[in-house]
Amino acid sequence: MSRKRLTREESREQTRQRLLDAGAAVIAKKGLSATSVEDIAAHAGYTRGAFYSNFKSKSDLFIDLLKNDHQSIQLDLQQLLDADLSDEDLQRQLTQFYSQCYRDHTSYVLWAEARLYAVRDSKFRQRLNVLCLEKRDVIAYFITQFCERMKRPLPAPAPDLALAMMALIDGTLYFNISMPNEMTDAGVETALGTIFHATFFGSRG
C-alpha cells in the first residue's frame, strides 16, 4: 500500500512534534542553558531553519513542552470527572492517579530544569510563573469538582491545596530520583496515595 501523502498542515505538525520530542530529550539530558537550537534540530533530524519555522526560540519550545505536559494531566483528570463511577471507585481511581502522577522522570526533570532556569532568568521566570498559576488554578478546579461530586467539604482553600499537591509531588520525586534506594517507586506511590486519600477522603467533616 502506498503511504498517504501528508497535507502541508499535517507535515508542519509532524515537524513541530518531532522538534518538541527532541527538545524534551536534549533539554532533560543537558539542561536548557547548555542546549542549542542546533542540538534540538539535529536530534530531530532537521535544520536550524526548520526549528525557527516552528518556534521563535528554545525558550518558546520549552514553555510549549511544559504546557503539553500539563494538558495531558488535565485530560486525564477530566476523563475521571466525566466517568460514571461510584464514589468508592472514583476515590480509588483518584488515589491511584495521584500516587502515579508524573511517574515519567523526563517530565519531572523538565519541570525541575524550568524552575532552576527561572531562578537565573527573570524573563523566563515571569513566563513560568504564569504557567504555574494556570496549572494551580486548573488543579484547584478539579479538587473542587471532585469534592462537590462526592459531597465532601474542602479541607482547605482549593488553590492552597493545589500548590501543596504540586510541591509534595515535586519533593517526593526529587528523592525518588536522587535517592532511589531510600525512596523507591513503590514507596512513592504508597506515600503519595496515602497522603492524598487521608487529605480528601479521611472523613466527611
Side-chain angles (χ1 to χ4, degrees), residues 57-94:
S57 67
K58 63 180 182 180
S59 292
D60 282 345
L61 177 143
F62 196 22
I63 290 293
D64 277 359
L65 278 173
L66 299 175
K67 286 181 178 179
N68 288 347
D69 183 73
H70 176 53
Q71 286 171 358
S72 176
I73 297 295
Q74 185 176 345
L75 288 173
D76 289 341
L77 287 171
Q78 189 63 54
Q79 288 178 353
L80 279 178
L81 185 61
D82 294 339
D84 185 18
L85 298 172
S86 66
D87 282 2
E88 182 178 348
D89 286 340
L90 182 57
Q91 288 181 26
R92 183 164 51 250
Q93 291 285 340
L94 279 172

Side-chain angles (χ1 to χ4, degrees), residues 99-105 108 168-189 192:
S99 67
Q100 296 178 346
C101 201
Y102 299 114
R103 295 305 306 138
D104 177 3
H105 284 179
Y108 169 78
L168 178 62
I169 291 174
D170 286 347
T172 304
L173 291 185
Y174 167 77
F175 288 109
N176 175 231
I177 292 174
S178 61
M179 302 171 63
N181 292 331
E182 300 298 326
M183 178 62 80
T184 64
D185 289 352
V188 169
E189 293 182 12
L192 291 178

Side-chain angles (χ1 to χ4, degrees), residues 16 19-24 27 32 40 51 55-66 127:
R16 180 181 176 85
L19 287 166
L20 284 167
D21 292 342
I27 293 170
L32 186 62
I40 297 171
F51 179 95
F55 302 99
K56 293 181 179 179
S57 67
K58 63 180 182 180
S59 292
D60 282 345
L61 177 143
F62 196 22
I63 290 293
D64 277 359
L65 278 173
L66 299 175
R127 298 182 68 184

